[in-house]
């Protein structure tokens, strides 16, 4: 069986604005986001995650974020002309006021994804169920799976299995997993979740984001997160253009996304930093959050890789 036939069920969720916003504080121009939407629609990409739907009153805000950090429905109606590509938004447990989420018929959004740690699964289900009842497609994205104990994950999956949530996500938050890990998790999720569909969100700390995504896709995972030119927090995500090139469904067209990269992403990459870097590799190797690597890259020691390695692996010696 060819790779193409094994992945013909897949759909792409482009996260350039939402996850990429973690790089530049969501400081994307309206023109950038409009051009991105047009290019993704022309490319046949099924979903564009256009930002967060968290509530500013529940999350500390410096007022310097771009509008994609706290999405407003009337703003979206003004700037996006909806076509075939559906719009998605992400919320975090504890950071969204349900009153700020309109019924789907009154909203520009089609899919709302709830990001949670395993310990907050019950709260995530409560939120996701509410959004489901308001007409949205829904997902629960279990973050930092590489740090979750097996018994805690089993309990989370059992709860989700009894909920109306449509999709459940395997999230490699620290970019520390490999294709064997993904195969194990996809099979585990598949056994525990009857009638649920799966998604994956990968990070590129170990240069494995694309390989991990394809391993999951070939096992039946349906929603594949990606971002144009790989733009995402720290080491970034699976590049959307790689999925368009590899999956090669008849409706997919790589050319419009190459145009987006040529027009916007090259210049943006000169201004902002993301993608594979040694500090991010080290945190991925150690299965740790990349915040320490991001802090190191913002310091005067940004290219002192041996120092960072020593700090992370032997802090008791390094910090003397």
């Amino acid at each position: 069986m060819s790779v193409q036939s094994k992945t013909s069920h897949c759909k792409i969720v482009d996260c350039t604005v939402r996850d990429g916003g973690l790089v530049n504080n969501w400081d994307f121009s309206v023109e950038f986001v409009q051009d991105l939407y047009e290019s993704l629609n022309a490319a046949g990409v099924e979903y564009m995650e256009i930002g967060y739907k968290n509530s500013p009153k529940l999350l500390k805000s410096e007022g310097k974020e771009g509008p994609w950090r706290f999405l407003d429905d009337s703003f979206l109606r003004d700037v996006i002309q909806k076509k075939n590509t559906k719009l998605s938004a992400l919320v975090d447990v504890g950071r969204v006021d349900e009153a700020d989420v309109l019924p789907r018929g009154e909203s520009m959004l089609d899919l709302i994804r709830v990001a949670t740690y395993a310990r907050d699964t019950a709260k995530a289900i409560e939120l996701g169920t509410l959004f489901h009842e308001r007409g949205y497609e829904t997902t629960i994205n279990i973050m930092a799976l590489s740090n979750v104990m097996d018994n805690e994950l089993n309990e989370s999956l059992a709860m989700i299995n009894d909920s109306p949530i449509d999709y459940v996500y395997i999230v490699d938050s620290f970019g520390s997993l490999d294709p064997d890990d993904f195969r194990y998790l996809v099979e585990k999720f598949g056994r525990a979740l009857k009638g649920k569909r799966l998604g994956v969100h990968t990070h590129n700390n170990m240069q494995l984001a694309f390989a991990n995504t394809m391993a999951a896709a070939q096992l039946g995972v349906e929603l594949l997160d990606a971002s144009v030119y790989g733009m995402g927090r720290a080491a970034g995500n699976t590049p959307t253009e790689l999925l368009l090139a590899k999956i090669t469904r008849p409706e997919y067209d790589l050319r419009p996304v190459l145009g987006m990269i040529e027009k916007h992403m090259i210049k943006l990459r000169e201004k902002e930093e993301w993608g594979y870097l040694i500090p991010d590799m080290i945190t991925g190797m150690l299965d740790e959050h990349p915040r320490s690597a991001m802090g190191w890259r913002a310091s005067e020691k940004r290219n002192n890789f041996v120092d960072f390695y020593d700090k992370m692996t032997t802090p008791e010696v390094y910090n003397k």
Side-chain angles (χ1 to χ4, degrees):
M1 184 180 293
S2 69
V3 170
Q4 180 176 345
S5 62
K6 284 185 178 181
T7 58
S8 59
H9 60 282
C10 295
K11 298 177 182 177
I12 298 172
V13 181
D14 182 87
C15 304
T16 308
V17 176
R18 200 273 307 165
D19 206 329
L22 291 160
V23 174
N24 69 342
N25 205 26
W26 299 275
D27 186 24
F28 298 105
S29 68
V30 168
E31 180 193 11
F32 177 98
V33 176
Q34 288 174 333
D35 286 352
L36 177 62
Y37 182 79
E38 291 295 328
S39 69
L40 294 174
N41 185 75
V45 171
E46 290 84 359
Y47 295 89
M48 171 178 166
E49 190 151 81
I50 199 164
Y52 280 96
K53 190 58 179 165
N54 288 332
S55 304
K57 58 193 170 189
L58 298 178
L59 187 62
K60 288 183 180 179
S61 168
E62 297 179 357
K64 299 177 181 178
E65 306 92 346
W68 325 103
R69 182 68 177 100
F70 300 104
L71 289 172
D72 177 79
D73 287 279
S74 60
F75 170 75
L76 285 183
R77 278 191 288 272
D78 288 340
V79 301
I80 297 294
Q81 297 294 318
K82 280 285 288 288
K83 296 184 178 179
N84 292 327
T85 297
K86 296 180 179 180
L87 294 179
S88 166
L90 188 77
V91 301
D92 295 301
V93 168
R95 294 180 171 180
V96 59
D97 183 338
E98 62 186 54
D100 291 340
V101 180
L102 299 173
R104 184 177 179 181
E106 302 172 26
S107 172
M108 290 285 285
L109 301 173
D110 303 283
L111 169 68
I112 297 185
R113 312 199 300 170
V114 181
T116 186
Y117 291 105
R119 63 177 178 271
D120 292 325
T121 298
K123 295 177 183 178
I125 291 171
E126 184 178 354
L127 266 180
T129 299
L130 177 68
F131 300 144
H132 175 84
E133 291 171 350
R134 291 184 182 175
Y136 294 97
E137 298 174 65
T138 54
T139 82
I140 285 181
N141 297 21
I142 305 177
M143 299 184 291
L145 276 172
S146 56
N147 284 181
V148 179
M149 298 296 290
D150 214 42
N151 61 330
E152 185 179 18
L153 181 56
N154 291 339
E155 292 173 5
S156 293
L157 296 179
M159 286 190 282
I160 296 171
N161 189 52
D162 294 330
S163 77
I165 303 302
D166 299 301
Y167 296 90
V168 186
Y169 260 79
I170 299 166
V171 182
D172 182 16
S173 299
F174 306 151
S176 60
L177 302 179
D178 63 29
D180 285 339
D181 297 319
F182 267 84
R183 282 185 279 268
Y184 168 79
L185 287 167
V186 170
E187 290 171 0
K188 181 181 182 67
F189 276 53
R191 289 192 302 269
L193 300 167
K194 306 302 180 185
K196 304 293 184 191
R197 290 128 81 189
L198 302 182
V200 291
H201 182 90
T202 59
H203 282 272
N204 209 31
N205 300 64
M206 303 287 287
Q207 292 280 48
L208 289 171
F210 178 61
N212 288 337
T213 298
M214 291 305 297
Q218 291 167 27
L219 286 173
V221 172
E222 184 173 336
L223 293 187
L224 310 179
D225 280 18
S227 57
V228 173
Y229 220 41
M231 186 181 186
R233 185 198 65 199
N237 308 118
T238 297
T240 299
E241 60 272 15
L242 280 183
L243 293 183
L244 289 170
K246 185 64 174 177
I247 295 176
T248 59
R249 289 172 59 170
E251 61 269 36
Y252 284 169
D253 183 359
L254 174 61
R255 192 175 186 277
V257 169
L258 295 181
M260 178 69 192
I261 294 171
E262 184 178 299
K263 181 177 180 180
H264 290 287
M265 304 305 293
I266 300 297
K267 289 185 290 186
L268 183 57
R269 185 64 181 80
E270 293 172 353
K271 178 183 176 183
E272 306 288 353
E273 181 173 88
W274 73 85
Y276 173 77
L277 292 164
I278 295 299
D280 297 317
M281 181 275 284
I282 291 169
T283 59
M285 176 188 76
L286 297 173
D287 193 21
E288 295 195 9
H289 194 286
R291 65 173 64 90
S292 54
M294 295 163 69
W296 192 268
R297 289 296 293 173
S299 76
E300 294 179 354
K301 295 183 176 181
R302 55 187 284 113
N303 291 321
N304 293 9
F305 301 145
V306 174
D307 272 1
F308 185 70
Y309 178 81
D310 289 344
K311 174 181 171 64
M312 298 301 294
T313 57
T314 55
E316 68 283 358
V317 175
Y318 183 87
N319 294 321
K320 277 187 177 180

